[in-house]
């Protein structure tokens, strides 16, 4: 008998989903301004509604409840984006930096090698060498220990030297990363 209730609830939820998904996605898009995130937020909201479907369907206004869930998820996403921007702003150079006669081939080679590093190693190497952050500031930015920064930076630089070949000088790698960070303000990392 529980299966019949579950089947009825499933059919009812499916009808609710079909009727309101597009509206909830539009609502999410208007709240966040992110078309790509809108469907994800609507889907996350509908998943949360499904987990509480007995309570939602008993509500006086299930669509209003659904909109509230979308609004809360959008607010959480926006707050996360604001926090991320603030963290980036702490370490962003205030003025535009330019490098005279950058080694373009070196920059391209270093960028290609950086993309091959795992994220944590890449982040440590970039923050330490392209942005000249201290180990402590790098650890703070990434939410890891200073010891992890040291080991990941060391391993990352060793891997970069291996990828770039035996003739690669750590100073050349540093110069290429600094030239790239100065060229674009570090935004294309």
């Amino acid at each position: 008998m529980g299966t019949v209730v579950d089947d009825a609830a499933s059919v009812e939820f499916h009808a609710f989903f079909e009727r309101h998904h597009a509206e909830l996605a539009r609502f999410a898009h208007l709240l966040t301004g992110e078309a790509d995130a809108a469907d994800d937020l609507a889907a996350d909201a509908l998943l949360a509604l499904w987990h509480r479907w007995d309570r939602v369907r008993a509500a006086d206004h299930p669509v209003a409840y659904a909109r509230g869930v979308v609004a809360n998820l959008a607010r959480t996403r926006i707050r996360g984006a604001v926090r991320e921007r603030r963290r980036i702003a702490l370490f962003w150079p205030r003025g535009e930096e330019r490098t005279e006669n950058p080694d373009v081939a070196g920059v391209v080679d270093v960028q290609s090698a950086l993309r091959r590093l795992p994220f944590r190693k890449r982040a440590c190497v970039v923050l330490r060498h392209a942005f000249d952050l201290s180990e402590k500031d790098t650890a703070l930015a990434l939410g890891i220990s200073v010891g992890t920064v040291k080991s990941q930076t060391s391993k990352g630089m060793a891997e970069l030297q291996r990828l770039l070949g035996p003739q690669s000088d750590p100073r050349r790698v540093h110069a290429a990363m600094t030239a790239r960070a100065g060229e674009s303000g570090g935004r294309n990392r």
Side-chain angles (χ1 to χ4, degrees):
M1 194 160 228
T3 306
V4 173
V5 172
D6 290 344
D7 287 343
S10 178
V11 168
E12 189 178 328
F13 177 78
H14 183 71
F16 182 88
F17 180 96
E18 291 296 322
R19 252 188 334 270
H20 300 290
H21 177 265
E23 172 196 342
L24 295 173
R26 274 194 314 275
F27 181 51
H29 179 242
L30 291 171
L31 290 176
T32 63
E34 299 176 27
D36 295 341
D39 278 333
D40 291 342
L41 287 171
D44 289 347
L46 286 161
L47 180 62
L49 293 174
W50 170 246
H51 289 298
R52 297 189 283 278
W53 186 241
D54 287 339
R55 187 178 340 152
V56 174
R57 72 194 234 200
D60 290 334
H61 303 287
V63 176
Y65 189 92
R67 288 183 192 125
V69 173
V70 169
N72 287 333
L73 290 171
R75 180 180 17 254
T76 300
R77 182 176 184 86
I78 290 166
R79 285 180 178 162
V82 168
R83 278 192 303 272
E84 183 66 20
R85 282 188 213 111
R86 286 182 184 150
R87 271 193 296 261
I88 289 170
L90 288 174
F91 301 108
W92 214 270
R94 298 290 182 229
E96 189 69 25
E97 297 177 16
R98 290 282 175 205
T99 302
E100 295 291 324
N101 303 319
D103 177 5
V104 176
V107 170
V108 170
D109 290 345
V110 170
Q111 280 184 319
S112 176
L114 276 171
R115 280 191 293 271
R116 295 178 64 191
L117 294 179
F119 176 78
R120 186 178 282 177
K121 285 180 188 172
R122 183 180 344 140
C124 288
V125 167
V126 168
L127 289 173
R128 292 283 292 128
H129 293 281
F131 291 93
D132 292 321
L133 292 186
S134 68
E135 291 166 343
K136 182 179 176 184
D137 287 340
T138 301
L140 179 66
L142 298 176
I144 58 178
S145 72
V146 172
T148 301
V149 169
K150 289 178 181 181
S151 69
Q152 293 295 293
T153 303
S154 175
K155 290 175 184 176
M157 287 301 290
E159 197 165 334
L160 277 177
Q161 288 175 338
R162 184 185 61 75
L163 290 168
L164 294 169
Q167 75 282 3
S168 67
D169 177 4
R171 289 172 296 189
R172 179 177 162 246
V173 171
H174 178 82
M177 283 194 294
T178 303
R180 181 63 187 153
E183 178 181 300
S184 64
R187 294 175 199 250
N188 293 334
R189 287 272 150 203

